[in-house]
């Protein structure tokens, strides 16, 4: 019988432990993706509890998974009537998923650990850096602290305003309505408590409500770094290039969307056609803001024209800004792509914006995100059409797919009709849209750095 001495045992333990760590070590992108998967799984289990529904039976597995994914990914697509089907406990679960999903579970976990004095190692800091889409680790904890403060300030302020606004109608229940809709708006989730899947459609004259929901949508959609810059930088000239691009792209997209929706729908009596001009513009502006990533709607989308729906598909696909509570390919990505296309036609050797150059690496990433996003939406649209058996028109299926991808949650009236396969594909699309295309794909793809340079040769394109 062989007996190993202590030194040999320690050596073997270290070797096997290192091998095990190397074998099961998660990449930062995998950790981020796994955090959302675990949160969705927890939400699914909670929504399946009898206490979560008014019927006392709990939600079926796929319905619970779909709603949990939609809330965790701050989308808003739902197969249950939140007001009438979910109990108080179920609504609290939904609100928790929206709040944590909007900021990201890594943010909350980091603040809790940091508050308890935990010191983060290099690998953990890299994971944080990836989750917050930052190029460096400097100031990560300060950024997270500001994210929490801004969230509490904005949500608290609008919760008070909405509570005051709802009080004549709902009495003391107005506090719950105010908090829920403030969180849902700032996190760009689109869930509401008005019932019957109507969103704001039964309140066409409530301009205060449109403003009280529309403004936090904008603030949540521009991103926390932009909010900090606007509050502390001290003027346009001192803004970072990122802040300038976000502000310009948001203004152009909101104004462009408003004018297009108003110009198309002004003759549609089923939507805004019979409203006064001021009300038409208010509804158009709200829908332009909301369809970027929030999902609230003030008129029936099924009654809108196909051209309006196409405009909304484009806006939903573009989505919000980086480090925000929204999804999509992001407005900065779209801005860089459009500027790059213009530079090609102009024959510019360097891509400059506001006196600063955009690196080739960033341009390549922007085109990769746009391309992969387009391929995903088309592929999911085809699969969903096959699953649907072409019961619904293709444009309705594409609208639903892009709504999930952009984590918007605007429904065109077909969400309830999906079978379990359709719900599963839409849930996967919502997850990809929330964590980001690059993060999602890099969780499964190993990157390689090659030092070999090959000879170049021209081909014909275009």
């Amino acid at each position: 019988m062989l007996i190993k001495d202590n030194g040999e045992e320690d050596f073997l333990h270290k070797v096997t432990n290192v091998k095990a760590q190397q074998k099961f070590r998660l990449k930062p992108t995998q950790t981020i993706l796994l955090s959302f998967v675990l949160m969705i799984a927890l939400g699914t289990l909670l929504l399946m509890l009898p206490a979560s529904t008014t019927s006392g039976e709990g939600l079926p597995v796929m319905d619970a998974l779909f709603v949990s994914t939609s809330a965790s990914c701050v989308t808003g697509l739902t197969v249950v009537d939140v007001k009438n089907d979910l109990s108080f406990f179920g609504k609290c679960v939904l609100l928790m998923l929206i709040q944590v999903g909007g900021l990201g579970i890594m943010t909350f976990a980091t603040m809790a650990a940091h508050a308890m004095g935990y010191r983060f190692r290099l690998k953990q800091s890299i994971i944080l850096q990836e989750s917050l889409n930052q190029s460096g680790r400097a100031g990560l904890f300060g950024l997270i602290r500001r994210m929490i403060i801004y969230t509490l300030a904005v949500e608290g302020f609008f919760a008070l305003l909405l509570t005051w606004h709802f009080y004549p109608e709902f009495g003391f229940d107005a506090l719950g309505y105010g908090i829920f809709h403030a969180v849902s708006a700032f996190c760009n989730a689109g869930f509401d408590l008005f019932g019957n899947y109507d969103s704001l459609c039964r309140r066409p004259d409530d301009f205060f409500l449109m403003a009280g929901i529309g403004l936090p949508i904008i603030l949540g959609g521009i991103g926390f770094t932009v909010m900090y810059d606007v509050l502390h930088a001290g003027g346009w000239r001192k803004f970072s290039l990122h802040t300038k691009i976000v502000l310009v792209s948001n203004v152009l997209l909101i104004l462009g969307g408003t004018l297009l929706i108003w110009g198309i729908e002004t003759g549609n009596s089923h939507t805004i056609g019979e409203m006064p001009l001021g009300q038409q513009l208010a509804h158009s502006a709200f829908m332009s803001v909301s369809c970027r990533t929030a999902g609230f709607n003030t008129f029936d989308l099924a009654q809108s024209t196909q051209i309006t729906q196409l405009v909304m598909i484009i806006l939903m696909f573009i989505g919000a800004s980086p480090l925000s509570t929204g999804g999509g390919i992001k407005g900065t990505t779209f801005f860089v792509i459009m500027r790059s296309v213009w530079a090609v036609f102009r024959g510019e050797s360097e891509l400059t914006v506001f006196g600063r150059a955009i690196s080739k690496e960033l341009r390549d990433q922007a085109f990769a995100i746009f391309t992969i996003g387009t391929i995903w939406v088309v592929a999911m649209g085809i699969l969903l059409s096959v699953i649907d058996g072409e019961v619904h028109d293709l444009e309705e299926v594409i609208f639903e797919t892009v709504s999930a991808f952009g984590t918007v949650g605007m429904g065109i009236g077909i969400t309830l009709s999906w079978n379990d396969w359709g719900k599963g594909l839409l849930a996967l699309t919502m997850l990809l849209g929330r964590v980001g295309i690059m993060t999602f794909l890099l969780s499964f793809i190993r990157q390689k750095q090659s030092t070999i340079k090959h000879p170049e040769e021209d081909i014909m394109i275009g």
Side-chain angles (χ1 to χ4, degrees), residues 369-431:
I369 290 171
F370 177 84
T371 303
I372 297 169
T374 303
I375 292 172
W376 183 277
V377 167
V378 172
M380 287 298 106
I382 293 172
L383 285 175
L384 287 169
S385 294
V386 172
I387 290 171
D388 181 58
E390 298 189 9
V391 172
H392 299 100
D393 293 335
L394 181 60
E395 63 267 20
E396 293 178 329
V397 176
I398 294 295
F399 190 99
E400 190 92 346
T401 306
V402 177
S403 182
F405 172 79
T407 68
V408 180
M410 279 190 172
I412 204 165
I414 67 173
T415 308
L416 294 174
S417 64
W418 294 111
N419 59 20
D420 288 349
W421 285 103
K423 292 173 186 175
L425 289 176
L426 286 172
L428 181 62
T429 302
M430 287 188 279
L431 178 61

Side-chain angles (χ1 to χ4, degrees), residues 102-116:
L103 287 177
I105 192 170
M106 303 296 294
T107 302
F108 284 97
T110 301
M111 282 303 296
H114 196 54
M116 292 186 292

Side-chain angles (χ1 to χ4, degrees), residues 279-317:
Q279 195 170 347
Q280 289 183 355
L281 291 173
H283 280 261
S284 301
F286 182 87
M287 294 296 286
S288 177
V289 168
S290 184
C291 74
R292 287 269 304 288
T293 186
F296 295 96
N297 55 288
T298 57
F299 57 75
D300 188 357
L301 297 177
Q303 300 294 323
S304 61
T305 64
Q306 290 185 347
I307 303 175
T308 297
Q309 293 170 15
L310 177 60
V311 170
M312 290 183 176
I313 286 174
I314 295 172
L315 292 174
M316 289 191 297
F317 185 75

